[in-house]
Amino acid sequence: MKKNNNIINKEKEITRGIVVSHGVSMGKALVLTSDIPYVPKYSIMRSQIAHELDRLEEAIQKTKQDIRTIKKKAESEIISANLNYFDAHLLMLDDPVLQTQIKTDIHNSLLNIEAIVDNALNAIAKKMSSMDNEYFKERVADVRDIQKRVLFHLLGKKQIDIQSLAEDVIIVSHDLTVSQTANMDRRHVKGFITEVGGKTSHTAIFARALELPAIVGISDIRSEFKDGDYIIIDANHGKIIANPTVKNIKLYETAKHVYERFIKKLSFLNQLPAESTDHHKINLNANIEILDEIDSTKTHGAEGIGLFRSEFIFLESIDLPSEERQFEVYKEVLTRMNNMPVVIRTIDLGGDKLTKEHEAYQESNPFLGWRSIRYCLSKPEIFRTQLRALLRASVYGKLEIMFPMISGVDELLMVKEFVEMVKNDLRKEKIEFNNDIKMGIMIEVPSAALSADALAPHVDFFSIGTNDLIQYTLAVDRGNEKVSYLYNSLHPAVLRLIKMTISAGESHNIPVEMCGEMAGNPINSVLLIGLGLKELSMSSVFIPEVKKVIRSSSYIEAKKLADEILALGNVDKIEKHLMTFMRTHFPYLIDKIMS
Ligand code: PEP
Ligand code: MG
């Protein structure tokens, strides 16, 4: 390990926050500052105008250089990107109307150049977002990007590009957007610490996918570190240690190796079925976000992919991925999974997974708004492109298509009609696809769970998305740490909706899977199989432990436990009952949670 000067500072231990991804890791802190920097405003003398304009010219040249460097990197790495995006940014910086506006403003108001630029670009962004024109609305995010870059240079701040890092870092940030997470330099980012977020926020899900330790929801954490501070994240015990002593560094390096060995040790389970002691078989599948995770689904013993969050293809690329690009991705998953079932979910954008278009639109309730299937139905071109790519790929393996956030039968029928239209187009074009492809829906909105019996005749399977089902049932934002104490998968209302969905599936003879994070917590495994679930899908890392619990459980006992729990009316009683059962049968699990 490289010698680090900061380790002689005083050691500090922080135990606040919510662990969202386990593991131990260490590296230098990379503290990300907020989006648009604070812009000071002060008066200048007329004689200073020329100097202020020179400063602006210098900042513009530096910004242009940044954009050219990013464009070069994108050209070498991103096959599908529309690189015109960068040229549009460069053109904006040379816009003569904007430059004249800035010169007039500085002469009239005699304010510093940062304040002038900030005002001018705020006015442009405001005007564009109020226009009744989708194209201009979508460009607002570009204006904001330029505004941020120029201001950073004017203020002499360093803008950190987490897409290409030179050394191992732990990111310390207020929040990370899903596209920041998807695009970061995976070789060097060793963990995340954020001020906001919850266990099922998409950044947390991504941290688990990449097997990076992460702790979120630690208010004001950025004020406690500076760039370069050496940090240890022990996400197995919810601890962050800044400026550790040499003794502690050694101790945690050992802890890291012990944990890695423990994970490896569970790998003997990979080839064994997830079957209870009384021979009740459960299918354990993997949730994936990116193609890099495919190998890990196999090394952890997944029997298929239960959820491929296809929106990450969109979040990783700069522009909309073409039909051909998507087809290649879907074909690759199917081919690499060797005829194992692969459930690809159509894009679930919106909520906290924002495209530039969503950022520009700025909804007041994004999780209740233009998200997921609603977004797809309002964007027929995007939806059609994805469905064509999926159907064309369906001949390469066992593909099943899943639609997210369905809220009722009418919406589902619209989706099915749309799929038929796309199938007809392909037939006319004589393009091959699997006509019997299975199509299912996510049950993640209470209205869908409550009408599961009406939805069931129209689909081939259900998959329960507890991450959203909990947030919508309990009215608790899944990413808000202030209300995270209310976000509980064991709330009786949630358990009853899960049970209703399973019963509707049983009476209509369609399989019901669970793919929300609840499925990956081994504490829940006995309860979930007792409720009647036969398929669980989770981040690959959780499969071995869940399998271990299932292989030591009796299905008869699991059913009894589920009945007892369903009869209880509040979270406290349910948690106590479940913990007592698990403590008796799986004391090692409880010790692990409590340690
Ligand atoms: C869910 O809501 O449980 C789910 C699996 O979907 P996502 O986490 O992507 O919203
Ligand atoms: Mg969801």
Side-chain angles (χ1 to χ4, degrees):
M1 198 192 65
K2 268 192 273 176
K3 188 164 160 28
N4 188 298
N5 294 333
N6 288 307
I7 60 174
I8 52 168
N9 293 342
K10 205 161 180 295
E11 181 176 276
K12 179 159 69 178
E13 188 175 297
I14 295 162
T15 50
R16 311 192 313 271
I18 308 163
V19 171
V20 296
S21 179
H22 289 103
V24 180
S25 166
M26 46 274 290
K28 285 187 182 171
L30 179 61
V31 185
L32 300 185
T33 41
S34 57
D35 235 3
I36 302 268
Y38 167 72
V39 179
K41 198 184 220 181
Y42 52 89
S43 299
I44 55 162
M45 287 183 293
R46 201 161 289 282
S47 59
Q48 288 176 295
I49 292 179
H51 173 67
E52 291 294 278
L53 290 174
D54 284 348
R55 289 210 299 124
L56 176 60
E57 183 52 32
E58 195 186 326
I60 287 179
Q61 291 313 326
K62 285 184 180 162
T63 305
K64 283 184 178 172
Q65 191 48 46
D66 293 346
I67 294 171
R68 285 193 206 100
T69 312
I70 301 173
K71 184 180 175 191
K72 222 177 187 167
K73 185 165 178 275
E75 277 167 344
S76 62
E77 284 182 4
I78 304 166
I79 327 95
S80 67
N82 176 355
L83 299 164
N84 294 339
Y85 163 87
F86 295 109
D87 297 332
H89 276 49
L90 290 171
L91 278 177
M92 200 189 305
L93 287 167
D94 285 331
D95 180 9
V97 180
L98 176 64
Q99 296 199 350
T100 313
Q101 174 78 52
I102 286 175
K103 281 182 193 150
T104 315
D105 287 353
I106 198 165
H107 278 97
N108 290 344
S109 62
L110 290 178
L111 284 173
N112 58 316
I113 194 68
E114 291 87 349
I116 300 288
V117 168
D118 194 42
N119 275 344
L121 291 170
N122 278 341
I124 295 178
K126 198 168 163 204
K127 197 167 160 197
M128 279 175 149
S129 35
S130 67
M131 281 181 184
D132 198 15
N133 178 315
E134 284 295 310
Y135 176 81
F136 284 114
K137 280 188 176 157
E138 285 167 27
R139 300 279 77 80
V140 172
D142 296 343
V143 176
R144 293 293 184 203
D145 191 48
I146 288 294
Q147 181 177 11
K148 193 173 66 181
R149 287 178 189 282
V150 174
L151 285 173
F152 263 91
H153 282 304
L154 279 172
L155 295 165
K157 289 185 192 275
K158 203 170 84 194
Q159 203 179 1
I160 301 149
D161 176 11
I162 58 170
Q163 293 185 33
S164 56
L165 296 163
E167 59 184 341
D168 291 352
V169 298
I170 307 281
I171 293 194
V172 183
S173 160
H174 176 67
D175 195 7
L176 283 166
T177 65
V178 179
S179 53
Q180 263 178 322
T181 329
N183 285 306
M184 74 194 175
D185 186 338
R186 289 178 205 148
R187 287 165 311 152
H188 288 304
V189 174
K190 297 294 169 197
F192 310 150
I193 303 170
T194 63
E195 293 176 342
V196 297
K199 261 196 189 328
T200 61
S201 60
H202 287 97
T203 306
I205 289 171
F206 205 74
R208 285 193 286 279
L210 296 178
E211 300 182 31
L212 288 176
I215 304 183
V216 304
I218 317 180
S219 53
D220 277 338
I221 189 71
R222 283 177 303 162
S223 60
E224 306 203 27
F225 298 128
K226 58 181 187 315
D227 275 343
D229 277 350
Y230 196 74
I231 312 188
I232 297 174
I233 303 193
D234 173 6
N236 291 338
H237 299 97
K239 271 190 215 166
I240 299 160
I241 300 131
N243 301 316
T245 57
V246 176
K247 189 171 149 225
N248 266 342
I249 292 179
K250 288 211 172 94
L251 217 101
Y252 279 96
E253 277 175 346
T254 312
K256 180 172 165 20
H257 291 132
V258 169
Y259 180 71
E260 284 164 1
R261 271 208 307 275
F262 163 76
I263 296 291
K264 249 201 188 128
K265 232 171 89 187
L266 286 176
S267 64
F268 80 94
L269 287 161
N270 293 351
Q271 304 308 322
L272 300 173
E275 193 175 277
S276 67
T277 49
D278 42 1
H279 307 296
H280 186 75
K281 168 84 175 69
I282 305 294
N283 280 344
L284 297 185
N285 297 323
N287 292 352
I288 67 164
E289 285 71 36
I290 47 176
L291 294 182
D292 289 356
E293 291 176 81
I294 296 179
D295 289 342
S296 147
T297 68
K298 297 196 182 152
T299 52
H300 289 94
E303 293 164 272
I305 289 174
L307 168 66
F308 177 13
R309 290 182 165 98
S310 67
E311 58 276 8
F312 277 81
I313 310 169
F314 287 65
L315 294 165
E316 279 182 322
S317 50
I318 287 161
D319 233 320
L320 284 177
S322 63
E323 178 182 324
E324 218 41 46
R325 160 88 178 126
Q326 290 187 60
F327 167 73
E328 288 302 331
V329 174
Y330 306 145
K331 181 178 159 192
E332 183 174 341
V333 187
L334 289 162
T335 326
R336 285 173 62 190
M337 288 307 288
N338 282 333
N339 236 20
M340 288 184 193
V342 174
V343 179
I344 301 186
R345 175 175 78 181
T346 57
I347 48 174
D348 178 13
L349 290 166
D352 62 350
K353 288 178 284 194
L354 304 179
T355 57
K356 282 186 169 294
E357 197 180 12
H358 282 100
E359 274 169 18
Y361 184 49
Q362 292 200 351
E363 293 174 275
S364 27
N365 284 307
F367 275 104
L368 297 182
W370 198 33
R371 182 186 169 190
S372 205
I373 198 70
R374 302 165 183 188
Y375 172 76
C376 285
L377 287 172
S378 76
K379 292 270 171 184
E381 229 8 87
I382 294 179
F383 199 25
R384 181 181 297 117
T385 305
Q386 177 167 41
L387 288 170
R388 280 178 67 95
L390 283 167
L391 288 166
R392 283 175 54 205
S394 65
V395 293
Y396 292 92
K398 226 185 227 170
L399 174 64
E400 300 178 16
I401 300 179
M402 176 157 78
F403 302 103
M405 215 183 160
I406 295 290
S407 59
V409 174
D410 307 281
E411 193 175 39
L412 173 60
L413 294 180
M414 271 161 70
V415 171
K416 288 187 71 174
E417 199 181 314
F418 197 92
V419 176
E420 265 325 296
M421 237 163 54
V422 179
K423 281 185 171 180
N424 273 336
D425 289 347
L426 291 177
R427 281 186 199 108
K428 276 189 216 138
E429 293 167 47
K430 301 211 178 333
I431 295 176
E432 217 192 332
F433 64 93
N434 172 11
N435 194 35
D436 300 321
I437 189 162
K438 289 207 164 67
M439 288 193 290
I441 56 170
M442 293 201 59
I443 302 290
E444 51 184 347
V445 180
S447 59
L450 290 163
S451 52
D453 59 334
L455 288 161
H458 302 285
V459 292
D460 298 308
F461 63 91
F462 284 152
S463 187
I464 305 175
T466 46
N467 306 341
D468 279 312
L469 188 61
I470 299 167
Q471 89 162 338
Y472 293 132
T473 305
L474 306 181
V476 180
D477 181 341
R478 62 193 264 186
N480 184 339
E481 78 290 351
K482 292 234 172 5
V483 288
S484 62
Y485 71 100
L486 286 171
Y487 187 95
N488 198 319
S489 55
L490 296 176
H491 191 291
V494 174
L495 295 179
R496 286 170 199 184
L497 290 177
I498 293 173
K499 184 65 193 168
M500 278 178 92
T501 307
I502 297 169
S503 304
E506 278 167 359
S507 37
H508 291 86
N509 215 10
I510 59 165
V512 181
E513 180 177 57
M514 177 179 282
C515 63
E517 298 299 309
M518 186 182 184
N521 184 347
I523 293 290
N524 299 327
S525 305
V526 184
L527 170 63
L528 295 181
I529 63 171
L531 285 171
L533 285 165
K534 296 191 185 71
E535 289 190 56
L536 303 173
S537 192
M538 61 201 75
S539 300
S540 301
V541 278
F542 297 137
I543 293 176
E545 283 218 83
V546 167
K547 192 186 274 186
K548 196 170 168 198
V549 171
I550 293 173
R551 287 179 59 82
S552 320
S553 308
S554 126
Y555 180 52
I556 306 274
E557 266 184 28
K559 276 208 296 199
K560 184 166 166 284
L561 173 74
D563 287 345
E564 287 161 1
I565 282 182
L566 279 175
L568 299 173
N570 69 322
V571 174
D572 188 46
K573 283 189 182 147
I574 292 174
E575 274 179 352
K576 282 194 177 123
H577 196 78
L578 179 62
M579 287 306 240
T580 307
F581 179 92
M582 294 305 284
R583 189 172 288 117
T584 315
H585 294 78
F586 304 95
Y588 70 93
L589 261 187
I590 309 295
D591 288 349
K592 200 171 146 216
I593 298 169
M594 299 301 176
S595 61

